[in-house]
Amino acid sequence: MYNNHFEIFELPVSFDINKDTLAQRYRDLQRAVHPDKYANAPDRDRRLAMQKTVQINEAFQTLKNPLTRAGYLLHLQGIDQNDGIMDGEFLMTQMDLREELADIKQKSLPIEAFLSRMEKQMQSLIDTLSQQFAQENWQAAHDSVRQFQFFTRLHEDALRLEEELI
Amino acid sequence: MALLQISEPGQSAAPHQHNLAAGIDLGTTNSLVATVRSGLAETLPDNEGHHLLPSIVHYAKDAAPQVGYAAKAQANIDPLNTIASVKRLMGRGLKDVKTTGTRLPYDFVENEDQGMPMIRTVVGDRSPVQISADILNTLKQRAEKTLGGELTGVVITVPAYFDEAQRQATKDAATLAGLNVLRLLNEPTAAAVAYGLDKSAEGVHAIYDLGGGTFDISILRLQRGVFEVMATAGNSALGGDDFDRAIAQWIMQQAGIADDAEHSHIRELLDIARTAKETLSTNESAPLEIRLEEGSVWQGELSNDQFNQLIDPLIQKTIAPCRRTLRDAGLSTDDINEVVMVGGSTRMPRVREKIGDFFKRTPHVDIDPDKVVAIGAAIQADILAGNKPDDDMLLLDVIPLSLGIETMGGLVEKIIPRNTTIPVARGQDFTTFKDGQTAMAIHVVQGERELVMDCRSLARFELRGIPPMVAGAGRIRVSYQVDADGLLSVSAKEETSGVHSQITVKPSYGLQDNEIERMLKESLEYAEEDVATRTLREQQVEADRVINALRAALKADGQVLLKQHEFLEINTALEDLLKVEQGNDADAIKNAIERINDVTQEFAARRMDASIHQAMKGHRLNDFAENE
């Protein structure tokens, strides 16, 4: 019944969304369809409630995170974010950063500066994506999403390392 | 005419009925049962006025198992037949139990083919599930005696960090005790319910739950009756027991007691350690007096400083999960409005101090940390039993550990990441990798690590009958679904041919369905009840539900959402069910229910959409008002 995840929350299809509105509408929808509201209903109705809730949860999870939201916008354009190849320059950057992290691990160096650099990179990519999506520049957005994905993974690895170091 | 009878207001409404429901906190050290009476949630005491039931079971030949204080009294006399802290064994394999590094004073049965640890007792080998069922049964009897009737259903709490196998084992224990489980509820979420409703607190809260054997940290957002778990983490093998053990080990060192001391002696030492720990909650030091095996007595003292030194490493172990939940929730300590302490182990002043330091605010301890979980469970049970149809409380919980699948090279591909809100369903496509491949092995795992060997194996199954194709041509869709209890089912389907294979995950260390059935048959309570009678009763209960729900639906929306011919068709199906409902033919009832399900499919979908529309409409009005 819905053409896309945005419709569920009656939001326009856009990378820029109001997070509070999304969260508020999500909670209101859950109040209407959550299986707990059908705890005493017949099996069939409970299954239906479960299906709706799963659908709403999926849509919410996808939209609330900027990376998955961007990937989803590409998907709506028929672009698989995992397709294609990364440009050579960025591959070099990737390798350098991976090496840097390996070095931090090996020598037990402070990791805070590295982490905050990753966070800055991700924040600036969110701004870039916002412009690229507004201009419907899908190809550029595709590249940015894949860079975003790389920084997200690297950031996660760095956080895991930080946990080990503490 | 029946049609009129249904649409006439007042006549179709089911009589208001209060369903007896209870919340059960099945703890490592103590268990409780609570219920809502006259709008007030309270824990239920036994005959002697004890609310806590020690989670200890004593088995003796030719006698019913003793549970609670009576069993506790046997702990030092008959240690091998007195089982305590069984929760630590739930859903675990014998190997896990041995490698946790904690010496458990029981006689385990070495058993290669069954993963579950069995304990040898005078009444035979007992599994953790059976022992837990004995505890649950005692609480069930207490509740039914107090409330004067059979329980319709219960909510049982589990540590948020319990994995799939541990949850399944808990549910199996409830089934074995003859309980209808309305929901497995995470302990910190239950505490938040009790606490949040009591204080009508809004905002972001951290619930720090350190019990006898488990630790959880959950970050929740409370807003207008919705309790949304943002992230959770923990350690399902860390709790007050470990503090006792640390003290006991120190005593052994000081008093020169050998590591291989008798079971009963170690039990005694653990008791002394626990008493010392409790003493230190209010005193600067605790006196110690230990009976040595050769008959002499060792006297000593445990100072607060020494105690802190012993337990600080354990408290420190809870800090990393706290940090991780904050990160997963995308928050810092400044974003937390309040910190709530739950679980008996948070009575230790040192724990409060250290956690207060970490979150930079004084933790709340105003609800009895032993009772708060059971009270929250009772509130949820009351709602799920249908006693509060207009209540707008809603709990949105998450899975604590990522669910994944084994891929080439022993690597894990995550299908549902941790902290995803449940219920949830996700699919992943795989292709065949060999020419003419006709089967695919699917290995379901849980955990955060990248290698399969570092994660918990939940289930293995095979999709067979794939028609031979060239490599890469087959498309296999594997779907994971986690229900509101956090329990997983997995299915796999070859998309081009439609070959289907499905499994509800029965984790390696849980019980198989037929085992549960066998145990049920063995237990006295069910011995006389014929399976057929049970099936009939189940169908009648479902028929009741269907009739009540349909009447209410027709009354509320029949006029608006149904055309005349649809209304008539549904009504005929309803009449048919009413005719067979009181009879003895379970199949006829089942068929009539299925017929209703068929003809009301579209009606149910329309009603669901209408309620969604209503929810969004209410919202648009609010937005409008806010903008003005």
Side-chain angles (χ1 to χ4, degrees), chain A residues 50-101:
Chain A
M50 167 98 165
Q51 283 164 11
K52 281 283 176 209
T53 306
V54 162
Q55 192 185 8
I56 291 164
N57 273 338
E58 181 63 26
F60 179 61
Q61 299 277 346
T62 307
L63 296 191
K64 79 172 177 187
N65 175 311
L67 176 59
T68 50
R69 185 167 70 242
Y72 181 67
L73 283 166
L74 291 176
H75 167 78
L76 290 179
Q77 292 301 318
I79 303 167
D80 182 341
Q81 65 180 82
N82 298 312
D83 283 348
I85 44 160
M86 203 76 95
D87 79 275
E89 199 183 329
F90 190 69
L91 278 174
M92 290 305 289
T93 314
Q94 279 191 32
M95 275 158 61
D96 288 347
L97 286 168
R98 281 269 165 220
E99 256 171 46
E100 201 181 327
L101 186 63

Side-chain angles (χ1 to χ4, degrees), chain B residues 587-604:
Chain B
D587 283 342
I589 300 174
K590 192 166 171 236
N591 290 336
I593 291 173
E594 271 167 23
R595 170 94 187 110
I596 289 190
N597 282 345
D598 283 348
V599 299
T600 58
Q601 188 75 38
E602 181 61 28
F603 182 42

Side-chain angles (χ1 to χ4, degrees), chain B residues 119-327:
Chain B
I119 297 171
R120 201 170 280 131
T121 73
V122 285
V123 295
D125 299 344
R126 305 289 285 177
S127 72
V129 170
Q130 287 170 305
I131 298 162
S132 299
D134 288 329
I135 298 169
L136 287 172
N137 202 18
T138 306
L139 295 171
K140 177 187 175 205
Q141 283 170 18
R142 183 191 291 184
E144 292 186 339
K145 208 172 138 203
T146 314
L147 302 175
E150 202 176 319
L151 289 174
T152 319
V154 294
V155 168
I156 299 180
T157 60
V158 290
Y161 211 59
F162 252 20
D163 65 25
E164 179 73 27
Q166 293 168 308
R167 282 167 202 271
Q168 190 64 54
T170 306
K171 206 167 182 179
D172 289 347
T175 309
L176 204 53
L179 289 165
N180 170 35
V181 182
L182 298 167
R183 173 63 38 86
L184 293 179
L185 179 61
N186 289 332
E187 286 161 10
T189 312
V193 168
Y195 176 84
L197 294 186
D198 189 53
K199 304 280 167 199
S200 47
E202 300 258 300
V204 180
H205 304 296
I207 314 287
Y208 180 97
D209 181 357
L210 187 61
T214 58
F215 166 67
D216 282 328
I217 173 80
S218 286
I219 312 267
L220 290 101
R221 185 193 296 282
L222 271 72
Q223 200 160 30
R224 295 194 297 128
V226 180
F227 293 71
E228 187 184 353
V229 179
M230 303 174 76
T232 193
N235 185 337
S236 59
L238 176 66
D241 281 5
D242 299 286
F243 290 69
D244 299 345
R245 219 167 278 122
I247 298 168
Q249 261 157 17
W250 179 80
I251 295 174
M252 285 168 84
Q253 271 173 17
Q254 300 295 310
I257 300 167
D259 269 355
D260 56 354
E262 292 278 319
H263 283 323
S264 60
H265 201 191
I266 291 181
R267 270 293 175 87
E268 209 177 318
L269 278 173
L270 286 171
D271 279 350
I272 290 165
R274 176 170 305 185
T275 309
K277 177 182 78 178
E278 285 164 11
T279 306
L280 288 169
S281 286
T282 45
N283 293 285
E284 279 304 306
S285 71
L288 300 167
E289 191 175 294
I290 315 292
R291 180 184 56 84
L292 299 175
E293 286 188 39
E294 51 271 25
S296 59
V297 168
W298 177 85
Q299 283 185 321
E301 187 189 76
L302 179 59
S303 72
N304 227 335
D305 284 349
Q306 182 62 48
F307 175 64
N308 290 348
Q309 251 181 54
L310 290 171
I311 67 170
D312 274 357
L314 294 168
I315 300 174
Q316 196 55 36
K317 270 182 150 177
T318 68
I319 299 285
C322 290
R323 195 173 281 123
R324 205 184 82 190
T325 43
L326 282 171
R327 208 176 70 208

Side-chain angles (χ1 to χ4, degrees), chain B residues 12-24:
Chain B
S12 60
H16 181 72
Q17 177 188 349
H18 186 83
N19 294 314
L20 298 181
I24 292 178

Side-chain angles (χ1 to χ4, degrees), chain B residues 85 87-106 108 117 163 166 213-214 235-239 241-242 245 249 314 317 456:
Chain B
S85 298
K87 189 174 181 179
R88 301 192 82 138
L89 307 177
M90 291 290 270
R92 307 237 160 212
L94 188 54
K95 217 174 71 197
D96 299 331
V97 173
K98 288 193 163 166
T99 53
T100 48
T102 56
R103 290 188 52 195
L104 289 159
Y106 309 122
F108 287 104
D163 65 25
Q166 293 168 308
T214 58
N235 185 337
S236 59
L238 176 66
D241 281 5
D242 299 286
R245 219 167 278 122
Q249 261 157 17
L314 294 168
K317 270 182 150 177
R456 162 153 296 224

Side-chain angles (χ1 to χ4, degrees), chain B residues 439-460:
Chain B
M440 183 178 248
I442 288 154
H443 184 198
V444 183
V445 297
Q446 184 164 35
E448 308 311 316
R449 308 283 293 274
E450 284 169 17
L451 296 176
V452 167
M453 53 177 283
D454 296 327
C455 289
R456 162 153 296 224
S457 166
L458 292 179
R460 289 172 190 272

